[in-house]
Every structure is written in structure tokens, then in C-alpha cells.
């Protein structure tokens, strides 16, 4: 309204330049497609995007630039909140890398479980996804907690905090002039 422009709403029917190979393409979240478009545009090869948002999503793109599919896990923040709310004696903790994997107090034990637990989740899923395809994949991490997990991960190649914004720009450029 302020700029006198119609917004582009990414959803079913929006031009993305990326074929969706999901059983029901309408089920794929816009954020997942946006990230996939940005990652593919950067390398023009097979890639996998791990987005650390409310949910932790894993999205695979083929070397032809097709959205293949992925996985969705609870986000690290949701998991931390669940521990705080569901376990009577566990405090709310800041999501930081602990000094040691073996915690010596409740806070560092929780931080270890959350941070290294998610590193294990990410590395395990990425390795399994790579084993299911017959092409190499560059692995991108994005989202607020991506740097924390990527620093410890053996499978994440690159962190890009602006991947979603890049994807939005690319998709906007594909829309017909209004």
C-alpha cells in the first residue's frame, strides 16, 4: 500500500522456476521452495538446504534444479521449550555451545543435549539423504541457529543467513510485470 505495489505471495501457482517432485506439490511450504531456489541458483548443481527455524527442515534439489523432497524435524527452540515446560525441574537455557559434551551441571547438560543432539540429527539425516541419491550435494544451512550447529557439523558446507531473502528476490524477478 505504501509503495503502491502488489506483493508477490509465494504459494501454489507462483512461478519459481523449480519443478516440484513432491507427491502433492501444494503441501510443500513456501519457505522450503524459496530456500531451494536460492541454493540451486548459487551452484547450479545438486544441493541440500537445512533451515533452522521453528522446525528444522531438510530440502533436496536435484542437479537439474528440481525440488526432490526432504524431511521435517522439530526445531531446536521447540525442543528446548518442551524440556522447560514438560520437565518440572529443568530450567529454560540459552542455546549456546557448552564447553564440553559431558555436562557438569544441569544447564551445561541441557545445552550439550540440545546442541550436540541437533548436530547428530543434522549429520545423520544429511548422510542418509546423500546415500539415497546418485549425485554429490552441497549442503547449505540457514536460519537463526544455523551458525551454532554448522560450526560443529561435519556435513554442512556453507552457512547463509540471507538464503531465504535471496530466494524471495529470485522468485520476485520471475513474476510477470504488473
Amino acid at each position: 500500500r505504501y509503495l503502491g505495489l502488489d506483493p508477490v505471495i509465494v504459494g501454489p501457482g507462483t512461478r519459481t522456476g523449480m519443478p516440484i517432485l513432491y507427491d502433492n506439490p501444494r503441501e510443500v511450504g513456501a519457505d522450503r521452495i524459496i530456500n531451494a531456489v536460492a541454493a540451486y541458483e548459487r551452484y547450479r548443481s545438486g544441493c541440500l538446504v537445512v533451515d533452522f527455524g521453528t522446525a528444522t527442515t531438510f530440502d533436496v534439489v536435484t542437479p537439474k534444479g528440481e525440488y526432490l523432497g526432504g524431511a521435517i524435524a522439530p526445531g531446536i527452540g521447540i525442543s528446548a521449550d518442551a524440556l522447560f515446560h514438560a520437565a518440572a525441574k529443568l530450567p529454560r537455557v540459552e542455546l549456546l555451545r557448552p564447553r564440553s559434551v559431558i555436562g557438569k551441571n544441569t544447564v551445561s547438560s541441557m545445552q550439550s543435549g540440545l546442541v550436540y543432539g541437533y548436530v547428530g540429527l543434522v549429520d545423520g539425516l544429511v548422510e542418509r539423504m546423500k546415500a539415497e541419491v546418485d549425485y554429490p550435494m552441497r549442503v547449505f544451512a540457514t536460519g537463526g541457529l544455523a551458525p551454532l550447529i554448522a560450526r560443529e557439523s561435519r556435513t554442512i558446507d556453507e552457512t547463509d543467513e540471507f538464503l531465504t531473502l535471496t530466494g524471495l528476490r529470485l522468485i520476485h524477478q520471475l513474476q510477470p510485470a504488473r
Side-chain angles (χ1 to χ4, degrees):
R1 178 174 72 205
Y2 296 109
L3 299 174
L5 301 171
D6 292 327
V8 173
I9 308 296
V10 179
T14 305
R15 289 184 189 180
T16 64
M18 180 169 283
I20 312 295
L21 304 182
Y22 225 53
D23 291 340
N24 181 354
R26 294 181 164 288
E27 290 179 357
V28 184
D31 57 330
R32 298 175 75 189
I33 300 303
I34 291 164
N35 287 337
V37 165
Y40 183 74
E41 179 65 24
R42 179 159 312 150
Y43 283 100
R44 293 283 179 182
S45 65
C47 53
L48 193 162
V49 178
V50 184
D51 187 350
F52 295 92
T54 303
T56 299
T57 57
F58 299 76
D59 299 295
V60 176
V61 180
T62 71
K64 294 180 190 177
E66 305 157 315
Y67 179 87
L68 183 61
I72 303 170
I76 191 170
I78 286 176
S79 295
D81 286 344
L83 284 173
F84 171 69
H85 289 295
K89 293 188 128 197
L90 295 181
R92 184 178 305 271
V93 298
E94 190 174 0
L95 292 171
L96 298 172
R97 179 184 178 272
R99 288 186 193 157
S100 170
V101 176
I102 301 170
K104 301 291 186 177
N105 57 58
T106 301
V107 169
S108 65
S109 293
M110 290 175 68
Q111 288 171 330
S112 177
L114 289 163
V115 172
Y116 294 114
Y118 269 81
V119 169
L121 172 114
V122 168
D123 287 346
L125 278 172
V126 168
E127 288 168 353
R128 287 172 181 266
M129 288 179 174
K130 283 183 168 185
E132 282 190 20
V133 299
D134 61 351
Y135 50 85
M137 291 191 291
R138 182 128 181 110
V139 181
F140 292 91
T142 193
L145 294 170
L148 175 67
I149 303 302
R151 210 172 1 254
E152 303 299 326
S153 170
R154 66 179 175 274
T155 59
I156 293 173
D157 298 310
E158 185 175 331
T159 302
D160 183 348
E161 64 183 301
F162 299 114
L163 194 67
T164 306
L165 293 175
T166 300
L168 283 169
R169 178 184 52 79
L170 292 167
I171 291 170
H172 182 267
Q173 291 170 341
L174 291 172
Q175 304 317 301
R178 297 182 188 196

